[in-house]
Amino acid sequence: MAVSHLSVSSWASWHFFATSSARRWTIRSPCPVSSQLVMLLEWWSGTECVIYTDPRAYPKYGKENAIVVLNHKFEIDFLCGWSLAERFGVLGGSKVLAKKELAYVPIIGWMWYFTEMVFCTRKWEQDRKTVSESLLHLRDYPEKYFFLIHCEGTRFTEKKHQISMQVAQAKGLPSLKHHLLPRTKGFAVTVRSLRNVVSAVYDCTLNFRNNENPTLLGVLNGKKYHADLYVRRIPLEEVPEEEDKCAAWLHKLYQEKDAFQEEYSRTGTFPETPVVPPRRPWTLVNWLFWASMLLYPFFRFVVNMVSSGSSLTLASFVLVFFVASMGVRWMIGVTEIDKGSAYGNMDSKQKHSD
């Protein structure tokens, strides 16, 4: 019996080690792809991001698991969230609650699918079970992470804002000037699923100086933007457990975020102490490594094709290059505000019951 118990215990220990090691490898493997985009933001375009936060909370960033609640108004707000995670050394393990369509985006979407990202259809009847199950997998995640969630569900536009405020009025909720009405059920299930694992909610409010309207295409073209990010650390114990109370708490949070944005529009600054976390060289080193591995063979291949003189070969290369360019442009289009979800359609209004 002792031998049998020892064998079972040894097998369980080995299985845990193997599973944990495989999971860590999975965590690390997609990070170079995410870091490519962060490199474009931080090193290629030189975009600066000043963080305004409580100096007492700052040392905890990157040392704990956190739910990051970010406003959803700009085409590159997700990139700023990734940059925040990278600056504090948790980009490799960080997750997002993303719309399911993004899972089909080549490379990035596939990477997210296989690395425990959480996808939703934004139809709560379908999402209730799948989102909860996906979140429960993060309870034993082997590394620190930020879980990024856009509670508004879609990017801010004037049309969406008008419809959203009609919903707010019908529900007797205060109007918001700079945000859409937050969808509370996804946030509530996130808090419930990750309680006692996540230490805090990081309330992040993003804006850009001089009324800049940043785009991913602008970043790719090397345009520099100037971002300001207000980060408040709220211990998770302060977020109510009951769904109704949690919803009321989130609505109050967005009223506070709206006040911060209004103050920023008047003064050009956020409260608290400004600080610029240093850029880590990892994203640049990673890009240089992959560039040296891929670009030299690619150029050799192009030169050989051109020197071959075959019209069919050259035509095939031009076709492949054209298709690849269209694919990249399509992926950029996914981030564009005017290509966002149709918030406010009749179906959406009927289902926006949270």
Side-chain angles (χ1 to χ4, degrees):
M1 290 293 293
V3 174
S4 177
H5 176 74
L6 180 62
S7 300
V8 171
S9 177
S10 300
W11 180 87
S13 299
W14 177 87
H15 181 265
F16 174 80
F17 173 78
T19 303
S20 179
S21 299
R23 217 172 180 193
R24 288 179 186 275
W25 181 86
T26 305
I27 293 168
R28 296 301 181 185
S29 60
C31 185
V33 181
S34 303
S35 70
Q36 300 290 329
L37 293 174
V38 175
M39 188 284 299
L40 291 173
L41 181 74
E42 295 184 347
W43 296 92
W44 174 252
S45 78
T47 293
E48 297 176 349
C49 185
V50 177
I51 293 178
Y52 293 78
T53 192
D54 184 345
R56 295 170 296 180
Y58 186 83
K60 298 180 181 180
Y61 299 159
K63 306 294 193 303
E64 61 184 3
N65 296 331
I67 299 170
V68 177
V69 177
L70 183 63
N71 57 310
H72 207 13
K73 190 173 184 177
F74 305 100
E75 289 185 11
I76 65 168
D77 47 28
F78 76 98
L79 257 185
C80 292
W82 284 5
S83 177
L84 179 72
E86 165 58 24
R87 295 289 176 106
F88 292 107
V90 294
L91 177 62
S94 291
K95 308 299 176 189
V96 295
L97 179 60
K99 57 185 179 181
K100 191 173 183 179
E101 293 86 346
L102 293 177
Y104 306 110
V105 175
I107 302 178
I108 295 178
W110 303 337
M111 170 196 77
W112 282 7
Y113 181 81
F114 287 108
T115 53
E116 302 181 66
M117 295 292 180
V118 181
F119 294 99
C120 63
T121 62
R122 289 180 292 196
K123 296 177 182 178
W124 186 242
E125 296 77 11
Q126 300 177 21
D127 291 333
R128 183 189 300 274
K129 182 179 179 181
T130 56
V131 170
S132 297
E133 290 177 350
S134 297
L135 288 168
L136 290 176
H137 289 306
L138 300 182
R139 292 192 62 83
D140 61 349
Y141 208 68
E143 295 197 5
K144 300 301 181 186
Y145 61 84
F146 288 171
F147 185 79
L148 178 63
I149 178 172
H150 296 285
C151 293
E152 295 163 88
T154 185
R155 285 191 176 89
F156 183 101
T157 67
E158 289 301 329
K159 180 180 178 181
K160 295 174 186 177
H161 179 254
Q162 182 181 3
I163 297 169
S164 180
M165 290 307 98
Q166 291 173 0
V167 175
Q169 184 178 14
K171 294 185 175 184
L173 295 170
S175 295
L176 301 173
K177 183 177 180 180
H178 303 280
H179 299 84
L180 304 179
L181 194 67
R183 298 172 182 256
T184 61
K185 291 183 179 178
F187 177 77
V189 75
T190 299
V191 170
R192 183 169 62 250
S193 300
L194 299 180
R195 194 174 290 277
N196 301 323
V197 173
V198 164
S199 301
V201 171
Y202 293 174
D203 171 37
C204 296
T205 305
L206 177 69
N207 215 323
F208 287 82
R209 300 176 194 173
N210 305 317
N211 295 317
E212 291 177 334
N213 184 26
T215 64
L216 184 56
L217 192 58
V219 170
L220 292 176
N221 289 332
K223 185 174 182 179
K224 182 175 182 177
Y225 300 108
H226 304 82
D228 289 322
L229 183 66
Y230 180 35
V231 182
R232 292 192 297 166
R233 181 186 183 275
I234 304 171
L236 200 66
E237 294 79 10
E238 297 183 11
V239 183
E241 294 191 26
E242 297 84 354
E243 184 172 317
D244 291 345
K245 293 182 179 180
C246 184
W249 184 91
L250 185 64
H251 283 302
K252 183 175 182 294
L253 183 78
Y254 267 77
Q255 293 162 27
E256 294 171 354
K257 291 170 75 71
D258 216 55
F260 296 139
Q261 287 284 35
E262 181 64 20
E263 181 69 14
Y264 186 92
S265 65
R266 291 193 306 103
T267 65
T269 188
F270 284 121
E272 297 292 356
T273 304
V275 60
V276 180
R279 288 184 301 185
R280 304 196 316 154
W282 158 245
T283 56
L284 182 60
V285 171
N286 173 60
W287 184 88
L288 292 172
F289 170 78
W290 285 106
S292 62
M293 290 288 291
L294 300 177
L295 291 182
Y296 176 72
F298 174 74
F299 285 131
R300 284 285 303 271
F301 175 71
V302 172
V303 169
N304 290 337
M305 288 191 66
V306 173
S307 60
S308 69
S310 170
S311 300
L312 180 60
T313 301
L314 291 175
S316 300
F317 174 75
V318 171
L319 178 61
V320 170
F321 183 78
F322 174 76
V323 171
S325 299
M326 293 298 293
V328 171
R329 186 64 187 87
W330 175 77
M331 286 190 288
I332 294 174
V334 172
T335 71
E336 294 176 348
I337 292 176
D338 59 358
K339 303 288 181 61
S341 61
Y343 183 99
N345 284 350
M346 290 304 296
D347 289 342
S348 298
K349 287 193 286 186
Q350 291 172 0
K351 295 176 183 178
H352 189 73
S353 58
D354 54 4

